[in-house]
Amino acid sequence: NAGVTQTPKFRILKIGQSMTLQCTQDMNHNYMYWYRQDPGMGLKLIYYSVGAGITDKGEVPNGYNVSRSTTEDFPLRLELAAPSQTSVYFCASISGTVNTEAFFGQGTRLTVV
Amino acid sequence: GNSVTQMEGPVTLSEEAFLTINCTYTATGYPSLFWYVQYPGEGLQLLLKATKADDKGSNKGFEATYRKETTSFHLEKGSVQVSDSAVYFCALSEGGGSYIPTFGRGTSLIVHP
C-alpha cells in the first residue's frame, strides 16, 4: 500500500498566485485532514473531512479551500498566496472504524515570495 | 476544547541516557492517546498508542502509560540511541464523529554519540 501520498514535495509561489496541494490515500479511510506545521508551533488544523462530500473548517481555514469528491482524494487549494502561508503542509487520514491513529503524507514544503 | 501540552525542547542527551518527555492533556471525554515521531524531512508516523486508562503503549523500546488521574502520557526510553534523534509529538483523538487529532507542539530530541 502507498498509504497517504502528497504532491508536490516542494513549491515556490509568488504572492497572489494560486495552487492546489494534492492528497490521495488508498486505505479507504473516511476521515482526512490538512495541517500546517510552522517551526515550534506544532500542527494546526486547516480543514477536515469525515467522508466524501463533507468538509469542515479547522483552526486556521482562512486563505484555503478544500473539496472531497471521492473517498481517496482531498485536495487543498490556496487562492491568492501570501507570505504567511509559507509553511509545511501535511495531509493525514484516519480509518475511524478499525483504529484511530493517523497516517501522514510526506508533506509539501511551500514558500511564498 | 481539547489540548495537549508537552515539554519544550530541545532535549539533548548522550547515547544510552534515560529519556523522559512529559505530556499532559485536557479533554472533554475519554480520548485515545498517541506519540508520533517525525524524522527530518518526513511526515509524522505513529510510535505508540494507548486507548484507555492504565494502558501502556510500547514500541522500539519506548513506553508511555495512560494516566487518567493525572491526565498524563509521558514518553520514556531506558537507553536512547543516536538514531532516536527526531521530533516527538504527543496527541489525543476522541470519537464523536470526526476523530480530529490534537497535537502538542513537539519536542526535539538530539542524541550525541
Side-chain angles (χ1 to χ4, degrees), chain A residues 23-86:
Chain A
C23 175
T24 299
Q25 53 92 8
D26 62 359
M27 298 171 284
N28 202 33
H29 287 176
N30 286 322
Y31 303 88
M32 296 187 74
Y33 314 85
W34 274 105
Y35 290 89
R36 58 178 288 170
Q37 182 180 32
D38 299 305
M41 299 302 293
L43 284 82
K44 295 198 180 295
L45 182 67
I46 305 172
Y47 270 95
Y48 68 98
S49 169
V50 301
I54 306 169
T55 62
D56 209 344
K57 295 177 180 178
E59 187 182 354
V60 289
N62 290 346
Y64 307 94
N65 273 302
V66 294
S67 60
R68 184 96 182 271
S69 57
T70 66
T71 298
E72 295 78 18
D73 299 310
F74 190 41
L76 177 72
R77 178 84 177 161
L78 279 71
E79 304 281 4
L80 296 175
S84 60
Q85 294 178 304
T86 294

Side-chain angles (χ1 to χ4, degrees), chain B residues 30-48:
Chain B
Y30 300 95
S32 294
L33 301 176
F34 307 87
W35 277 100
Y36 291 88
V37 58
Q38 184 181 32
Y39 299 103
E42 298 184 9
L44 282 70
Q45 56 186 275
L46 180 70
L47 179 61
L48 54 84

Side-chain angles (χ1 to χ4, degrees), chain B residues 36 65 80 104:
Chain B
Y36 291 88
T65 301
V80 294

